[in-house]
Structures are given as C-alpha cells and as structure tokens.
Amino acid sequence: MVIKAADMLIARRADTRARADFATWRMLAKLNGASALPAEAQGFLVSYKQLLEKMTDADASEATIQLMYKSYYAEMGGAGTAPEIPARSADAPADTGNVTAFRRPPAKPKVAASGPQAKPRLPVALIFACLVVVYVGIRYYWR
C-alpha cells in the first residue's frame, strides 16, 4: 500500500494531537476536572480506564492514544485507514525529527564597575552641564 505525502502529514499531525490531548485530558481527570471535558474526551478516558484494568499504564496509554490517533486521522481527512506510526516507548528517546531543543544561551559574566577594564561612567549631572555649556555657546555665537 502506497501512502501519499499528504496522508503522512495528516498522520503525523493526528498523532501529535492525540498525544497532546491525551496528556491534557489525563491531567484534568487527575485534578477532578473530567466532567468539564467534551463527551469524546470522556469516552476516551473511560476506554483508558477499562484498558488499565487489563494491562500496564504505559500499554493502556499507548493503546488509547492509538484509538484517538485513528479517530483524529479520519476527522482530519486522511484517506483510507490510518498508517501505522511506530509506538513511542517511555525509555526510548523521542524522535524529534528536525526540531532543535531549546537551550538557554550562556549567561554573560558580570563585569565589576571598579574592575581594571571597566569603562569610566560619566555622571548624569556632568553630561547635563556639558549640554548646557554647548547650548549657551551656540546661543552666544549666533548673537
């Protein structure tokens, strides 16, 4: 079976959405907010709890995500059956594709104001006085 590029793009988006929604819904259920979720979400959480009785948490989560993925794939307009996307395991590093992890730039060292290479700072009053002298000089010159 040949999978079109557009269908694979839909599959990736559906898988990402399923994983994000499942994590969000599960957290809301832990915070006793499941009643505020849509009916579809509550249905998936009920199926997750049923699967949880039969298998481990990781397997039940992955099975529920796969159900959600197939539902989202059809909802997003994917043609035919949803292509298989490899299951992500908790101990394996996530495939990030071409995404670069955010890294905070290194902190710039703070230079002490009284150090040997510190720039001398002019007080604001001295700068103001110089501007007044220049202004008065220009006014005097034009008269």
Side-chain angles (χ1 to χ4, degrees):
M1 179 173 143
V2 177
I3 300 172
K4 294 181 181 178
D7 288 335
M8 201 58 199
L9 179 65
I10 292 172
R12 284 191 202 121
R13 285 183 27 218
D15 182 61
T16 302
R17 180 178 166 200
R19 290 182 187 284
D21 283 353
F22 180 71
T24 303
W25 295 343
R26 192 168 158 198
M27 185 57 65
L28 280 172
K30 285 182 181 180
L31 297 172
N32 295 327
S35 61
L37 293 173
E40 177 188 25
Q42 292 178 3
F44 282 124
L45 286 176
V46 167
S47 68
Y48 166 70
K49 288 179 184 177
Q50 291 172 349
L51 289 172
L52 197 55
E53 295 172 0
K54 301 174 188 174
M55 54 183 75
T56 65
D57 181 52
D59 293 336
S61 296
E62 191 59 39
T64 305
I65 289 171
Q66 288 301 317
L67 288 172
M68 293 171 62
Y69 157 67
K70 290 175 182 173
S71 170
Y72 286 172
Y73 180 79
E75 181 183 310
M76 291 179 173
T81 59
E84 287 295 320
I85 291 186
R88 298 179 189 176
S89 62
D91 55 333
D95 177 29
T96 57
N98 62 353
V99 177
T100 303
F102 174 75
R103 291 188 194 139
R104 181 165 280 151
K108 295 180 181 177
K110 294 184 178 180
V111 180
S114 62
Q117 296 179 359
K119 293 182 181 178
R121 297 183 55 127
L122 293 177
V124 176
L126 181 60
I127 295 172
F128 181 73
C130 290
L131 287 174
V132 169
V133 169
V134 169
Y135 176 76
V136 170
I138 290 174
R139 294 282 292 185
Y140 181 76
Y141 179 72
W142 279 352
R143 286 189 179 187

